Amino acid sequence: MLEIKNLHARLKDGREILKGIDLTVNAGEVHAIMGPNGSGKSTLAGVLAGRDGYEITEGSVTYQGKDLLDLSADERAREGVFLAFQYPVEIPGVNNMYFLRAALNAVRRQRGEPELDAGQFLKAVRAKLKLLDIGEDLLQRAVNVGFSGGEKKRNEIFQMAMLEPKLAILDETDSGLDIDALRVVAHGVNNMRSPERAAVMITHYQRLLDYVEPDVVHVLSHGRIVRSGDKSLAAELECKGYAFLDDVA
Amino acid sequence: MVTTKPFLETFDTVHAGEPDWLLQRRRSALARFGELGLPTRRQENWRFTNLRPLEKQEFAPGDSVSVAATAIAPYLVEGAGHRIVLVNGRFDSGLSKLDGLPAGVLLASVKAIVSNDVPGFFLLGPQIFGEGTEEAKQPFLALNTGAALDGFALGIPAGTKIERPIEIVHIADAASPLSVNSRSAILAGEDTKASIIETFIGTGEYWQNAVLRVQVAARAELHHVTIQDHGSEAIHTGSTTIHLAEKSRYNSFNLTVGGRLARQDVYLAMSGADATCAVDGAYLLRGSQEATMATLIDHQAPGCKTREVFKGVVEEQAHGVFQGKIQVRQAAQKTDAHQLNKNLLLGERAIVDTKPELEIFADDVKCSHGATVGDLDEAAMFYLRARGIPEKQARNMLVEAFAADAIDLVEDLRLQQHLRRHLDRWLAGRPS
């Protein structure tokens, strides 16, 4: 589904953040990417989602046979790539429902499915709301405006559930969540698991992995994947900390 | 060139039958205009406004024409109860709708009052064509006094509440360049309540010079929306003067989307204690449009409140200007006045000039002002696009949210929805 080869990326100021990432994610798999602050985790997520401000200097990213880096951010999303933001953006004046319907219909057009009218959309929304324990009132507000940290993260997962992406990239979706919210979010992610879909979870902590069991765990350090393994690697990191990586790297 | 010549040539014909005092007043006003000439950019209050389109060409007084009902239909407010339509500045009785008003309410054409066809004379001298010192300094006002043939007059007797909005449609139809001078007045008596919406539209090359005087008596509440959606070749100059008596409320919204050159001046005086006003609006400009919103809110009495919010969206090589001044006189203690002008600058050649001003002579007041000019929020753009929304649609959503934020301040929901439709229409015309 996703094949990243020797990916190098730098910021506009010239600082190189990704220094040769190789990563293959197959349909049906969940990968976790762990690593200390500044290792390049969020840059990787941003590069995959098409955020501005990075320059790709080397390497390639192939998604479902297409050159992902050739697509704009919105094209990627319509092709089924979803980024759950570490810091969901507040957009005053844009109603959450209006926003989500525009997004869903854009994705549906791409898939050759008919657009949903307001009534059909509301029906679809209600079915997913329950899943994530989100009140309908949240949807009547402007996108993320006045949402608590937990509400924002839940809203991300709710959007993911509505848009049904093929490849979900979760950028520290677990950070700042209390245990109940974490369970709800994990439940939402687990519900999305299927042989046709894949997910990349970026996280600092093993905690999320207790609820969403990854197939592969990677450790990112200084812009490279320095170790990959099964979920026991996460447990090892949790007890030894990231410091030991310096020896490996 | 704007000269008084074409107005003097037709003077005797078009003003035949008017009372002597009015004829005299008109003649001296035209003479005054001749002395003043057009404002120049050397005058501080006009330094951002480029009046060259007015200088390049003569605008003869417009002849009377008729327009089809379909020309105004798309601009009418759903649920409006009463309507005056002025075509090239003249009352059109076929398109207007004056019935069904509460007893005692005067809604009429100014011409009908001048010719004594309607008993509204009490409004004429003091309110509509009343002497004011302003026109000694304001050329467009002086010209209007000299040349205006018609307009609308609304008089609401004390204690009367008018449920449904009253709409005024100013439509111009210019086969060749012409000028339209309209002169109007609203007198809201004590303890009254009304909503009024004025819409300016038209086709061809014309110059609308509109003067409106508003008086809101004690404890009255007036909602006033103005939509300037002139044709793309039009020039608009507007001067609105509002006087608020004690405990009155005046809520206004000005939407400017039309014309190639537009200038709206607002002077609002709060002469009675504890009055409240909202002077809000939005200008949405593209192409090579230029629009200026110039306001002066004059706090003369204690305990009054002002909210002024103007939002500008300026694209391509358009030019938007906001000059807003709130003046708090020494007697106006306990004033609560806040002014905000926010602009989205969306073209590399687009220009915004903003000049928010506070002038305070009282010491116990709460006042603030501010202005911003910026681009769309990049983080918000990425967020929308990361959900699959195409770039143009995402930009439209953010622009809509930006402008709607001001429109949502309009309390009368019927008028608010009407403004929203204008905004949608404008957004639909955005280039990709």
Side-chain angles (χ1 to χ4, degrees), chain B residues 30 32 38 59 161 191 234 300 314 385 400 413 419:
Chain B
L30 285 176
R32 184 64 191 148
L38 291 179
F59 294 87
K161 295 189 167 42
D191 305 293
Q300 302 173 349
V314 183
R385 293 183 68 193
E400 182 183 10
L413 292 179
L419 285 163

Side-chain angles (χ1 to χ4, degrees), chain B residues 320-355:
Chain B
V321 182
F322 174 80
Q323 288 170 269
K325 184 172 179 178
I326 296 178
Q327 179 175 299
V328 182
R329 301 201 191 192
Q330 203 175 356
Q333 299 295 351
K334 305 280 182 199
T335 287
D336 186 344
H338 304 278
Q339 181 194 63
L340 184 63
N341 174 230
K342 286 178 139 185
N343 296 279
L344 273 182
L345 193 58
L346 299 180
E348 276 177 24
R349 293 169 63 204
I351 299 171
V352 166
D353 286 299
T354 175
K355 193 182 167 205

Side-chain angles (χ1 to χ4, degrees), chain B residues 27 63 81 102 120 126 133 149 159 167 173 211 221 239 244 267 286 310 323 327 329 381 389 423:
Chain B
R27 283 193 188 279
D63 286 330
T133 51
L149 298 179
E167 72 185 323
D173 184 359
V211 171
E221 180 179 333
S239 163
L244 300 187
Y267 172 73
R286 64 166 72 103
F310 273 89
Q323 288 170 269
Q327 179 175 299
R329 301 201 191 192
M381 269 302 286
I389 298 172
L423 173 61

Side-chain angles (χ1 to χ4, degrees), chain B residues 100-122:
Chain B
L101 283 158
V105 173
L106 170 80
L107 178 63
S109 117
V110 166
K111 179 82 181 166
I113 296 173
V114 171
S115 352
N116 236 338
D117 294 339
V118 172
F121 228 74
F122 65 97

Side-chain angles (χ1 to χ4, degrees), chain A residues 74 77-78 83 98 106 156 159, chain B residues 383-388 400:
Chain A
D74 47 295
R78 291 196 296 276
L83 171 66
Y98 172 62
E156 293 294 291
Q159 290 171 26
Chain B
Y383 192 77
L384 295 177
R385 293 183 68 193
R387 295 296 175 257
E400 182 183 10

